[in-house]
Amino acid sequence: MLNFDIHLPTRIHFGRGKLEELGKEILPWGKKVLLVYGGGSIKRNGLYDQLLQIFQNNGIAHVELAGVDPNPRISSVRKGVELCRKHAVELVLAAGGGSTIDCAKIIAAGAGYEDDAWDFFTRKARISHALPVGTVLTLAATGSEMNPYAVISNEETGQKLGTGSPVLFPRFSILDPEFSFSVPAEQTAAGTVDIMSHVFEQYFSPTTGSYIQDRLAEAMLKTCIHYGPVALSQADNYEARANLMWTGSLALNGLLGSGKHTDWATHDIEHAISARYDVTHGLGLAILTPYWMQYVLNEQTVPRLAEYARNVWAIEESDDTKAAWSGIARTADFFKSLNLAASLKEIGIEENSLAVIAEQATGGRTLGAFKKLNTQDVLKILQAAYNGDTL
Ligand code: NZQ
Ligand code: ZN
């Protein structure tokens, strides 16, 4: 295990009825809030009306940025920054999934930055201060509600890039699983895969001796495998939604990756795909992951892939290579059982764009840590994932 420092400052209010904590979480920061939300799911599931009631009860004034897209755009960030400046906003409140939360974080950082917020992604500027951000989470997936990262797309340049800063940790997040009952099946499945992928990116690591992180990781994977299908077939199953929601937060709040080199190659490749084709993040990951696993399987990596197969999928096979292949096949079958597409072709990616996607994903660097990948390696993974070759 490597040395590490960790500080997790986000206060979590978890469970039924926890929205009642919102007023007292906002008031220490001020009485002017920018409410950020997406395409209207919070209006349909009743959250919006409850938020307005809480604002009214606590004398909180608010302005709104509605219509944040999945794969949030820098243009939405710019609109939010304008609103913060114009109305002297004191706290940015995101109500929604990862897209809404990520957009809110960069609005909060951009409000006090004199130039354009895209500079945070091109590394022209570092995020050193931000308005406080709070969240009401409605979709179990990204972990953005408890981490300092944000991913934003730029529709003009065709890029989708991530950034992070300790000042972007939400000050508080309200996680009431009941607000995720209305998440549609495809987003429930994609969110479950995204959580699993965050675990994979940290579990498949060249670092040895991180026994505790690895057992925690396996528990999180098993939770997704157990409860993902339950949430799909019973949208209002509280136990399933609650377990998925808390696993989503734990999977990417620093707990699993501390003390280890982490990978993130699959995420880098997926971000290059969703920048270009606007696909759902978790769906892209579901297609890529089994091909990434196959591609990285070699003499060095086989013990960990075999351990994954045995500990997560209970595969009883003494030969490491055979066990690893069974684990990969089980992973692919599980994603298919969630009714997710299994090839890039099926979701409308064009074969002639694979080379550009590979170049954009690597940007001339090597990706990953479990096995380092150059642009050519990434292209091979994309080609296999395009064709959906049977495992
Ligand atoms: O826009 P609305 O109407 O709210 O609908 C959303 C959206 O259409 C809907 N939805 C959310 N909660 C709902 C609901 N529909 C009904 N009932 C509810 N309770 O679901 C759709 C997808 O929402 P989105 O926020 O895009 O999903 P997700 O949470 O998966 O976020 C994906 C974004 O986060 C980034 C991804 O790249 C992508 O841009 N990520 C952010 C990370 C982070 N900040 O740490 C890490 C991740 O790896 C990821 O890259
Ligand atoms: Zn992700």
Side-chain angles (χ1 to χ4, degrees), residues 44-62:
R44 292 188 291 276
N45 71 7
L47 172 58
Y48 179 80
D49 288 342
Q50 292 185 52
L51 291 172
L52 261 47
Q53 191 61 56
I54 290 168
F55 293 158
Q56 200 184 350
N57 295 348
N58 289 278
I60 295 165
H62 86 282

Side-chain angles (χ1 to χ4, degrees), residues 168-349:
L168 295 184
F169 272 108
R171 307 297 168 125
F172 63 87
S173 284
I174 295 175
L175 277 59
D176 178 343
E178 288 191 347
F179 288 123
S180 66
F181 285 177
S182 53
V183 175
E186 196 197 335
Q187 291 295 337
T188 300
T192 303
V193 174
D194 191 23
I195 299 170
M196 291 178 72
S197 177
H198 296 159
V199 179
F200 291 146
E201 302 280 20
Q202 301 168 91
Y203 178 80
F204 293 116
S205 157
T207 311
T208 55
S210 50
Y211 186 93
I212 174 64
Q213 289 92 326
D214 298 342
R215 301 296 82 76
L216 285 170
E218 288 160 0
M220 292 185 201
L221 292 169
K222 286 189 194 174
T223 305
C224 292
I225 292 162
H226 181 72
Y227 283 111
V230 179
L232 267 193
S233 62
Q234 302 163 41
D236 59 354
N237 185 306
Y238 183 85
E239 186 179 311
R241 295 292 192 182
N243 278 279
L244 289 172
M245 193 170 258
W246 188 221
T247 306
S249 304
L250 294 176
L252 194 50
N253 68 356
L255 212 55
L256 297 183
S258 293
K260 302 178 75 172
H261 291 299
T262 54
D263 195 87
W264 299 104
T266 314
H267 266 69
D268 286 332
I269 304 170
E270 196 294 315
H271 286 164
I273 294 175
S274 52
R276 209 176 168 82
Y277 287 97
D278 202 16
V279 304
T280 298
H281 174 60
L283 171 61
L285 293 169
I287 296 170
L288 292 171
T289 298
Y291 295 100
W292 173 85
M293 286 179 172
Q294 282 181 58
Y295 194 79
V296 301
L297 180 60
N298 63 24
E299 251 175 56
Q300 276 90 49
T301 61
V302 72
R304 173 42 57 98
L305 278 147
E307 197 174 20
Y308 160 65
R310 294 184 185 117
N311 292 352
V312 175
W313 293 105
I315 287 165
E316 288 180 24
E317 166 59 64
S318 55
D319 179 81
D320 273 4
T321 304
K322 284 187 191 158
W325 277 107
S326 303
I328 297 170
R330 290 291 293 273
T331 311
D333 288 346
F334 177 69
F335 294 163
K336 280 186 219 153
S337 78
L338 301 177
N339 297 320
L340 292 168
S343 73
L344 294 178
K345 201 188 304 183
E346 278 173 70
I347 61 166
I349 310 298

Side-chain angles (χ1 to χ4, degrees), residues 38-41 44-45 68 70-72 97-100 102 105 138-139 141-142 144 147 149-151 160 179-180 182-184 187 194 198 252 267 271 281:
S41 70
R44 292 188 291 276
N45 71 7
V68 174
N71 299 324
S99 295
T100 298
D102 286 4
K105 287 176 175 174
T138 65
L139 198 174
T142 65
S144 187
N147 76 36
Y149 312 118
V151 186
K160 178 174 178 181
F179 288 123
S180 66
S182 53
V183 175
Q187 291 295 337
D194 191 23
H198 296 159
L252 194 50
H267 266 69
H271 286 164
H281 174 60

